[in-house]
Amino acid sequence: MPIKATRALLDAALSGLLLSQPMRTDPLFGFEVPLALPGVEPAILNPRETWPDKAAYDAQARALVDMFRANFAKFESHVDRDVLAAAPVLRQAAE
């Protein structure tokens, strides 16, 4: 992630600019991602588009979800339903 893009994203979050941006829901992690943001290359906001091999991205993204879920399993008994519901799942195939 280029530092300029990181700064632009942080500035947008801190200034409230993100609140007025159109968003998409990440298909695996379920969080909201801006569709566009001044100072940020649009492809960065959809990481799958930065990979030349989309199938390889999909496989790596699924592996990341699996690793997160396996690690989080040890904490599941200590959190409420809202936290459990926010955990990543394979909601659908990557876009």
Side-chain angles (χ1 to χ4, degrees), residues 1 5-24 31-40 45:
M1 174 72 81
T6 301
R7 285 185 183 134
L9 286 162
L10 286 172
D11 288 344
L14 294 172
S15 72
L17 178 63
L18 279 181
L19 297 173
S20 64
Q21 299 303 303
M23 301 282 197
R24 70 174 178 84
F31 49 73
E32 297 294 304
V33 179
L35 295 174
L37 196 64
V40 179
L45 300 172

Side-chain angles (χ1 to χ4, degrees), residues 22-60:
M23 301 282 197
R24 70 174 178 84
T25 301
D26 182 270
L28 298 175
F29 286 91
F31 49 73
E32 297 294 304
V33 179
L35 295 174
L37 196 64
V40 179
E41 183 181 333
I44 290 173
L45 300 172
N46 188 355
R48 187 173 190 264
E49 295 306 311
T50 67
W51 285 52
D53 183 344
K54 306 302 187 232
Y57 173 87
D58 293 343
Q60 189 62 43

Side-chain angles (χ1 to χ4, degrees), residues 6 18 23 29 42 48 68 70-71 74 80 87 90-91 95:
T6 301
L18 279 181
M23 301 282 197
F29 286 91
R48 187 173 190 264
F68 182 94
N71 185 58
K74 59 188 160 197
D80 63 27
L90 294 175
R91 290 180 171 88
E95 299 171 342

